[in-house]
Amino acid sequence: MADISSLQSVQSNHEKYKDLFKNSGKNDTISTDTFFSLLMAEMSNQDPLEPTSNTEFVSQMAQFTALQAQQDNLKYSMSNYAASLVGKTLTMNAQSDDGTLLSGVCTGVNISGSDVKVVVNGTQYDLSAVRGVKDTETVTSSHTISEALAFVGKEATAKILGDDGKFYYTTGIVTAAEMQDGDAKIVIDGYLYSIDEIVQVSETQTDG
C-alpha cells in the first residue's frame, strides 16, 4: 500500500464521504452524527485485507475538527475587524466618478455566512476591497441660536444619512430651535436636525 501523507488521507476520505456532510444538514460542521456516519461508511467500504486503523480514523476526524475550528476563528476575526471599521473613513479598491479611489465613511457591516461586507456610501464592498483606513475627521459646528431661530416658522427639508448608509429627505415646518452639545439645532416634527443637514428652506404658505 502506497504511503501517503496524513493530509492526503484526510482529503481522500472527505472526497469519498462528502455526500454524508450534505445529508447532515450542515455542510460546514462535523457533528457527532456525521462522525458515526463516516465511521460506519469507512468500516463498510474498507479492504478486509487492509482494514483502516481506528486510531488513524479518529486522528483524521480530529484534523477535520481542528480545520473547522480554524475556519470559525478566521470568520470571527474578520467579523470583529469589519465591525471595528464602522465610523472610520475607508479608501476602497473602486473608482469614484472623478477616477480616483473611492473614499467614504463606513456606515455598516453585512455578514452572510462566511461572506463579510462593509457599507460605504450606501454600497456594499468585500472586506478585501479595503485599501486604507483612517479616523473620520469631525467638523465642529458653531451655529448660534440666532441662526437656528431664523428657521422657525419656515418649511425646511433635511438630508439625513440612514443606518443603511443611504441618504433620506424629510420635510416639515420648523417649530423651535435648541442648543445641543454646543451647537444650535432646529426642530422638525419633534426631531432635532443640524443646520448643516438643511438643504432647502421656503416660506410657509398662508391662506389669504
Side-chain angles (χ1 to χ4, degrees), residues 76-90 106 108-109 116 118 127 133-136:
Y76 180 75
S77 298
M78 290 177 61
S79 300
N80 278 350
Y81 174 63
S84 72
L85 298 178
V86 176
K88 304 281 189 180
T89 298
L90 307 183
C106 177
V109 175
V116 180
V118 291
L127 194 58
V133 181
K134 67 177 182 179
D135 290 333
T136 301

Side-chain angles (χ1 to χ4, degrees), residues 48 51 80 91 138 179 205:
N80 278 350
T91 300
T138 56
M179 290 297 295
Q205 297 292 329

Side-chain angles (χ1 to χ4, degrees), residues 20-201:
L20 292 174
F21 287 91
K22 295 179 180 179
N23 294 333
S24 70
K26 280 189 174 182
N27 295 341
D28 58 349
T29 59
I30 300 176
S31 65
T32 303
D33 291 339
T34 306
F35 173 82
F36 284 113
S37 296
L38 285 169
L39 179 61
M40 292 299 295
E42 180 72 10
M43 295 177 64
S44 300
N45 294 281
Q46 66 182 338
D47 185 348
L49 300 179
E50 295 181 356
T52 301
S53 167
N54 290 338
T55 301
E56 178 186 355
F57 188 78
V58 171
S59 175
Q60 292 173 7
M61 292 303 300
Q63 291 183 54
F64 272 127
T65 303
L67 178 60
Q68 179 62 44
Q70 290 178 1
Q71 293 174 338
D72 290 342
N73 287 336
L74 176 60
K75 177 183 175 183
Y76 180 75
S77 298
M78 290 177 61
S79 300
N80 278 350
Y81 174 63
S84 72
L85 298 178
V86 176
K88 304 281 189 180
T89 298
L90 307 183
T91 300
M92 311 302 299
N93 188 24
Q95 285 192 339
S96 58
D97 294 338
D98 59 5
T100 61
L101 287 178
L102 184 144
S103 180
V105 177
C106 177
T107 56
V109 175
N110 192 327
I111 302 175
S112 177
S114 59
D115 192 23
V116 180
K117 295 181 181 294
V118 291
V119 179
V120 178
N121 296 341
T123 303
Q124 295 185 20
Y125 297 92
D126 289 332
L127 194 58
S128 59
V130 178
R131 295 284 298 274
V133 181
K134 67 177 182 179
D135 290 333
T136 301
E137 297 180 0
T138 56
V139 178
T140 302
S141 181
S142 57
H143 295 295
T144 65
I145 192 66
S146 296
E147 290 179 87
L149 286 170
F151 287 85
V152 175
K154 297 180 179 180
E155 184 179 72
T157 299
K159 180 182 179 181
I160 55 177
L161 182 65
D163 293 336
D164 57 0
K166 298 181 180 179
F167 284 101
Y168 295 90
Y169 295 87
T170 181
T171 301
I173 304 300
V174 179
T175 56
E178 296 181 14
M179 290 297 295
Q180 186 183 70
D181 300 327
D183 186 30
K185 307 280 188 178
I186 60 175
V187 180
I188 301 175
D189 294 332
Y191 292 94
L192 287 174
Y193 296 94
S194 169
I195 293 177
D196 293 329
E197 293 176 316
I198 303 304
V199 295
Q200 183 176 342
V201 180

